[in-house]
C-alpha cells in the first residue's frame, strides 16, 4: 500500500490553479454565504409564526408570514442555482488548465520516463484522475464552504435562542470528530491505492487492445482474461475497502445526530413545560439542529469524493514534478547550413547504472558518407541512433555534429536535421496524405505526392479506396507492415534531412519492393550523411564505412570487401546469411 502524501500540499497546489479565477470564486462564495443566510432565516421565521400567529390563531398574520417565508426560500433557491452555474465554469476552466499542463509536461519528458511506465497508466492520470478532481471541484468545494457557513450560522442562532439547549446538543460533537479522524486516516491511503490499481488496469487494457494480433496468433485470449480478472478483482477489493471505510462516516454521523436530536427534544420539552422557553423557540431550535447536522452529513457523504480527488491530484502532480529532459543547448543549427559530419568520441552509455550498453565508442562520419551499423541483436546499434537523436545522453564521452557538441545544440534544431525511419513504423489516425506530410507540415500536396513516388509508395496508395485521402486506423492497422514502412520512408523523404537514419527500413518488405526502396534510398542518400542499421548485409555493400558492433564495442570497421578479407564476425554473419538465402 502506498503511503499517502501531504494533503495540505496538494490542496495548496490546487488552490494555485483556482486563484486564477479568484474574482468569480469570490462571487460564488458570496452567493453561498447569501444562500446560507437565507436558509437560516427560514427556521427563525417559523418559530415566530408559531408563537405569534399559530398559537394566538391569527390567520391573517400567518398568511403574511408564509408569503415572507416563500420569498426567502425562492431567493435562496435562485442563489443556489447561480452559484452552481458559476462553479461549473470555474471547475471546468481549472481542470482544463491542469490537463493542459499535464499534457504539456508529457511533451518535454525524455524517453526514459516513458520507457518505465505503461501508456495506459499515463492515460489514466490524464482522464480518470483529472475527472475526479473536476467532480470534486464542481460539487464538493461549494458544499464544503456552504457547510462551514451553515455550521457557523446555525450555531450562532442556536446560542441566540437557547444557550442551554446548545450546550446539550454539543455533547456529541467530540465523539463525531474522533470517529471522523479515525476513519480519515484509513480511507485516504485506500483511495490512493485505488487510483494506482486503476492505472494498472488501464495499462493492461491498452496493452491488450494494441496487441490483439499477437494475442490471437498465440491463442492467449484465456490468459488475457485471467490477467484482466485478476487485476479487476484487485481493483474491486481495494475499491470495496475504500468505499466501505468512507461509507462508515455517514451512518455513524446519522446515529450520533439522532442521539443529539433526542437529547434536545427531551430537554427542550422539559423547559417548555416549566415555562422557561416557548414552543416556537423549541421548533426553531430543532430546525437549526437539522441545519447544523446536515452540513456534517454532507461532508461525510462527500468524504469519499474528496479522498479520491486528492489521491488523483497527487498522481497528476507526481508527473508535473518529474524532471524534464536535461537542460537544452543554446546553439541552433539550421538544416540548410549543416554539413553532416558526426563524431563519436569515447562514448559510453548504460540504461541501468553499472550495465553499460556502449563502451568507449569511437568513429567519425564525414559529410555525405553512408555508415552501416552491423551486429547481433542487442549489440547496441539502435542505442547509437538514440544517442545521436538525443533521446538519451551519454554517461561519458561526447558526440559532435559539425564540430559542435550535441549537448550544446538545441534539440528541436538538431532533430530538424534528422530524418528517421524506424523498424516499428507509427502512423496516426489520419489520412495517408497527412501521415506523409507529418515529415514537413508546410509541404504542399504536390510535394507530398512527389515524396510518395520517390519512396515507390504511390502505386499502392492509388489502389486504396480514397487514394491519398484514405483514412488510416490507429497505427495504420488497415495497411500491411510493408505499406506502413513505405509511408514512413516517404515521410522521411519529405523532411529532406541532412542526416538520414534507417533502422531496418526494409525489414518488412518483399524482395522486389526492397529493390525499389533501395533505388529510392540511393537517390535520397546522395549528399547526406546516412546511418543504416541492417540485418540483411547484402543491402549495405556500398556503404562508405561498416561498423561491426558486438557487446557494446566496435570490433571491426571498414568497407564490405575489406571486412570479408578479415574473416572476422562480419565474414561469419555475411556467409551465414548467404547460405540461408541460397537455401531458400
Amino acid at each position: 500500500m502506498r503511503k499517502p502524501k501531504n494533503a495540505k500540499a496538494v490542496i495548496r497546489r490546487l488552490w494555485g490553479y483556482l486563484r486564477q479565477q479568484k474574482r468569480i470564486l469570490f462571487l460564488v462564495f458570496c452567493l453561498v454565504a447569501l444562500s446560507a443566510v437565507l436558509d437560516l432565516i427560514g427556521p427563525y421565521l417559523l418559530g415566530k409564526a408559531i408563537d405569534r400567529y399559530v398559537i394566538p390563531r391569527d390567520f391573517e398574520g400567518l398568511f403574511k408570514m408564509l408569503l415572507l417565508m416563500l420569498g426567502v426560500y425562492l431567493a435562496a433557491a435562485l442563489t443556489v442555482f447561480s452559484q452552481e452555474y458559476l462553479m461549473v465554469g470555474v471547475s471546468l476552466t481549472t481542470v482544463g488548465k491542469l490537463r493542459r499542463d499535464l499534457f504539456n509536461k508529457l511533451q518535454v519528458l525524455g524517453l526514459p520516463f516513458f520507457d518505465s511506465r505503461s501508456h495506459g497508466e499515463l492515460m489514466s492520470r490524464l482522464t480518470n484522475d483529472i475527472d475526479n478532481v473536476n467532480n470534486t471541484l464542481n460539487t464538493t468545494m461549494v458544499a464544503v464552504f456552504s457547510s462551514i457557513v451553515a455550521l457557523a450560522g446555525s450555531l450562532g442562532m442556536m446560542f441566540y435562542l437557547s444557550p442551554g439547549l446548545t450546550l446539550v446538543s454539543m455533547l456529541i460533537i467530540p465523539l463525531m470528530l474522533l470517529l471522523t479522524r479515525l476513519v480519515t486516516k484509513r480511507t485516504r491511503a485506500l483511495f490512493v491505492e485505488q487510483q494506482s490499481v486503476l492505472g494498472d488496469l488501464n495499462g493492461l487494457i491498452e496493452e491488450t487492445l494494441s496487441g490483439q494480433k499477437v494475442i490471437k496468433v498465440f491463442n492467449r485470449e484465456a490468459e488475457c482474461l485471467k490477467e484482466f480478472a485478476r487485476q479487476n478483482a484487485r481493483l474491486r477489493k481495494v475499491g470495496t475497502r475504500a468505499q466501505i471505510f468512507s461509507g462508515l462516516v455517514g451512518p455513524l454521523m446519522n446515529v450520533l445526530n439522532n442521539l443529539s436530536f433526542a437529547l434536545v427534544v427531551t430537554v427542550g420539552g422539559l423547559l417548555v413545560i416549566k415555562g422557561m422557553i416557548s414552543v416556537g423557540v423549541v421548533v426553531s431550535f430543532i430546525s437549526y439542529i437539522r441545519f447544523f447536522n446536515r452540513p456534517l452529513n454532507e461532508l461525510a457523504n462527500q468524504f469519499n469524493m474528496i479522498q479520491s480527488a486528492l489521491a488523483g491530484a497527487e498522481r497528476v502532480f507526481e508527473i508535473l514534478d518529474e524532471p524534464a529532459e536535461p537542460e537544452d543547448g543554446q546553439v541552433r543549427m539550421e538544416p540548410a547550413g549543416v554539413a553532416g559530419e558526426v563524431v563519436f568520441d569515447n562514448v559510453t552509455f548504460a540504461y541501468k547504472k553499472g550495465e553499460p550498453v556502449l563502451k568507449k565508442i569511437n568513429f567519425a562520419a564525414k559529410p555525405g558518407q553512408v555508415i552501416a551499423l552491423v551486429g547481433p541483436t542487442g549489440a547496441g546499434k539502435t542505442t547509437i541512433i538514440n544517442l545521436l537523436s538525443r533521446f538519451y545522453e551519454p554517461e561519458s564521452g561526447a558526440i559532435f555534429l559539425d564540430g559542435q557538441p550535441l549537448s550544446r545544440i538545441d534539440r528541436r534544431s538538431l532533430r530538424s536535421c534528422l530524418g528517421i525511419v524506424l523498424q516499428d513504423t507509427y502512423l496516426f489516425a489520419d489520412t495517408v496524405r497527412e501521415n506523409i506530410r507529418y515529415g514537413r507540415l508546410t509541404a504542399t500536396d504536390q510535394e507530398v505526392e512527389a515524396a510518395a513516388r520517390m519512396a515507390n509508395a504511390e502505386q499502392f496508395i492509388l489502389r486504396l479506396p480514397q487514394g491519398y485521402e484514405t483514412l488510416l486506423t490507429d497505427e495504420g492497422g488497415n495497411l500491411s507492415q510493408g505499406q506502413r514502412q513505405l509511408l514512413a520512408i516517404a515521410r522521411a523523404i519529405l523532411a529532406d534531412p541532412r542526416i538520414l537514419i534507417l533502422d531496418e527500413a526494409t525489414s518488412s518488405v518483399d524482395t522486389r519492393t526492397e529493390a525499389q526502396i533501395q533505388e529510392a534510398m540511393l537517390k535520397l542518400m546522395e549528399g547526406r550523411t546516412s546511418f543504416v542499421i541492417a540485418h540483411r548485409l547484402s543491402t549495405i555493400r556500398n556503404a562508405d564505412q561498416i561498423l561491426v558492433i558486438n557487446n557494446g564495442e566496435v570490433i571491426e570497421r571498414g568497407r564490405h570487401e575489406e571486412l570479408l578479407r578479415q574473416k572476422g564476425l562480419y565474414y561469419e554473419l555475411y556467409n551465414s546469411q548467404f547460405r540461408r538465402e541460397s537455401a531458400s
Side-chain angles (χ1 to χ4, degrees), residues 283-581:
V283 171
S284 295
F285 197 91
I286 292 173
S287 297
Y288 282 123
I289 288 180
R290 288 176 176 172
F291 265 96
F292 185 81
N293 291 336
R294 186 179 69 184
L296 294 177
N297 290 334
E298 286 181 353
L299 287 175
N301 293 331
Q302 294 286 340
F303 185 72
N304 58 340
M305 288 187 63
I306 295 173
Q307 295 300 307
S308 181
L310 289 177
E314 281 181 351
R315 286 161 49 81
V316 171
F317 291 137
E318 282 178 2
I319 303 296
L320 293 178
D321 291 338
E322 284 285 335
E325 285 188 294
E327 187 175 348
D328 212 353
Q330 302 301 314
V331 177
R332 295 190 59 82
M333 303 188 77
E334 296 299 330
V338 173
E341 182 185 26
V342 176
V343 175
F344 272 60
D345 182 16
N346 220 28
V347 172
T348 296
F349 174 77
Y351 292 104
K352 293 183 179 179
K353 195 72 173 177
E355 300 178 15
V357 178
L358 297 178
K359 308 167 188 174
K360 297 183 178 180
I361 298 294
N362 291 281
F363 70 84
K366 296 179 181 179
Q369 282 192 334
V370 176
I371 308 298
L373 305 177
V374 176
T377 300
K381 304 182 296 297
T382 300
T383 301
I384 290 177
I385 300 305
N386 287 336
L387 294 178
L388 178 59
S389 307
R390 284 199 72 190
F391 293 145
Y392 296 87
E393 301 291 337
E395 282 190 357
S396 62
I399 306 172
F400 298 88
L401 174 59
D402 289 354
Q404 194 73 246
L406 247 59
S407 58
R408 294 181 57 191
I409 301 175
D410 171 69
R411 284 189 183 83
R412 290 181 62 86
S413 65
L414 169 66
R415 291 168 186 167
S416 68
C417 303
L418 305 178
I420 304 177
V421 180
L422 299 174
Q423 184 175 3
D424 298 321
T425 300
Y426 189 90
L427 298 176
F428 297 92
D430 206 334
T431 63
V432 171
R433 186 184 302 279
E434 293 308 315
N435 267 283
I436 297 175
R437 204 195 305 272
Y438 202 79
R440 179 159 53 90
L441 298 179
T442 58
T444 64
D445 288 351
Q446 292 75 19
E447 289 173 325
V448 170
E449 293 168 12
R453 285 192 294 271
M454 190 173 180
N456 293 314
E458 188 171 64
Q459 186 175 0
F460 89 80
I461 292 175
L462 295 179
R463 292 199 302 267
L464 296 174
Q466 285 82 40
Y468 282 93
E469 306 308 321
T470 300
L471 189 64
L472 302 181
T473 58
D474 187 30
E475 298 188 24
N478 50 345
L479 296 179
S480 70
Q481 178 65 27
Q483 289 172 333
R484 293 199 293 270
Q485 215 151 26
L486 287 172
L487 291 186
I489 292 170
R491 180 190 290 168
I493 291 172
L494 186 65
D496 193 23
R498 301 310 305 159
I499 299 175
L500 185 64
I501 297 171
L502 305 174
D503 186 351
E504 289 297 322
T506 61
S507 62
S508 301
V509 297
D510 56 70
T511 305
R512 180 182 177 187
T513 305
E514 179 184 0
Q516 294 174 333
I517 293 175
Q518 287 296 323
E519 180 183 351
M521 289 298 99
L522 288 174
K523 295 178 183 178
L524 176 62
M525 290 189 291
E526 290 179 2
R528 295 178 173 85
T529 305
S530 302
F531 291 85
V532 181
I533 297 177
H535 287 147
R536 294 183 186 178
L537 303 186
S538 59
T539 64
I540 57 170
R541 290 183 178 183
N542 298 320
D544 295 295
Q545 185 178 181
I546 299 173
L547 303 178
V548 184
I549 304 170
N550 193 24
N551 294 324
E553 299 178 295
V554 178
I555 61 172
E556 299 173 22
R557 69 181 74 207
R559 295 179 66 88
H560 174 71
E561 298 298 336
E562 295 172 359
L563 293 175
L564 288 180
R565 286 195 296 269
Q566 292 179 18
K567 294 189 177 182
L569 179 60
Y570 183 83
Y571 176 83
E572 294 177 6
L573 292 172
Y574 183 80
N575 280 320
S576 64
Q577 283 193 11
F578 181 76
R579 284 193 296 269
R580 286 198 302 270
E581 291 174 2

Side-chain angles (χ1 to χ4, degrees), residues 82-371:
S82 300
Q83 74 194 31
E84 290 182 352
Y85 177 83
L86 292 173
M87 198 59 205
V88 167
V90 170
S91 61
L92 289 177
T93 301
T94 300
V95 169
K97 291 178 180 178
L98 185 61
R99 184 181 287 112
R100 179 200 62 200
D101 287 350
L102 179 57
F103 190 80
N104 290 346
K105 182 69 176 187
L106 292 175
Q107 308 311 307
V108 300
L109 291 171
L111 278 185
F113 170 84
F114 295 99
D115 289 343
S116 61
R117 290 165 175 81
S118 74
H119 295 169
E121 199 269 342
L122 293 177
M123 290 169 59
S124 179
R125 302 196 189 209
L126 271 166
T127 53
N128 296 333
D129 291 333
I130 289 185
D131 282 344
N132 282 336
V133 175
N134 176 48
N135 293 334
T136 300
L137 290 179
N138 193 22
T139 58
T140 307
M141 186 175 177
V142 170
V144 169
F145 184 73
S146 176
S147 299
I148 293 173
V149 175
L151 284 171
S154 56
L155 186 61
M157 292 301 295
M158 288 162 62
F159 267 109
Y160 172 75
L161 292 173
S162 176
L165 284 179
T166 303
L167 292 176
V168 171
S169 65
M170 294 295 107
L171 293 175
I172 307 299
I173 298 300
L175 187 56
M176 286 183 176
L177 296 177
L178 177 62
L179 290 174
T180 302
R181 181 169 182 176
L182 290 175
V183 174
T184 299
K185 292 176 65 176
R186 182 64 174 163
T187 53
R188 177 152 176 73
L190 288 172
F191 275 109
V192 169
E193 185 179 5
Q194 176 182 293
Q195 293 303 112
S196 178
V197 174
L198 180 60
D200 293 340
L201 181 63
N202 285 335
L204 174 66
I205 294 171
E206 190 271 340
E207 188 178 72
T208 303
L209 293 175
S210 300
Q212 271 299 300
K213 288 184 179 179
V214 176
I215 292 170
K216 293 185 182 300
V217 165
F218 289 97
N219 295 317
R220 293 293 181 266
E221 292 91 343
E223 285 73 11
C224 287
L225 289 172
K226 289 179 182 177
E227 179 60 19
F228 178 83
R230 188 185 71 82
Q231 294 275 22
N232 201 28
R234 184 180 168 211
L235 177 61
R236 183 179 65 249
K237 180 180 178 182
V238 68
T240 301
R241 291 165 63 196
Q243 295 295 335
I244 287 176
F245 270 93
S246 65
L248 287 175
V249 178
L252 288 173
M253 289 292 186
N254 286 332
V255 171
L256 295 176
N257 289 338
N258 290 334
L259 179 58
S260 175
F261 184 76
L263 287 174
V264 169
V265 169
T266 301
V267 175
L270 293 173
L271 293 177
V272 169
I273 292 173
K274 293 181 179 181
M276 299 177 66
I277 57 175
S278 67
V279 174
V281 169
V282 174
V283 171
S284 295
F285 197 91
I286 292 173
S287 297
Y288 282 123
I289 288 180
R290 288 176 176 172
F291 265 96
F292 185 81
N293 291 336
R294 186 179 69 184
L296 294 177
N297 290 334
E298 286 181 353
L299 287 175
N301 293 331
Q302 294 286 340
F303 185 72
N304 58 340
M305 288 187 63
I306 295 173
Q307 295 300 307
S308 181
L310 289 177
E314 281 181 351
R315 286 161 49 81
V316 171
F317 291 137
E318 282 178 2
I319 303 296
L320 293 178
D321 291 338
E322 284 285 335
E325 285 188 294
E327 187 175 348
D328 212 353
Q330 302 301 314
V331 177
R332 295 190 59 82
M333 303 188 77
E334 296 299 330
V338 173
E341 182 185 26
V342 176
V343 175
F344 272 60
D345 182 16
N346 220 28
V347 172
T348 296
F349 174 77
Y351 292 104
K352 293 183 179 179
K353 195 72 173 177
E355 300 178 15
V357 178
L358 297 178
K359 308 167 188 174
K360 297 183 178 180
I361 298 294
N362 291 281
F363 70 84
K366 296 179 181 179
Q369 282 192 334
V370 176
I371 308 298

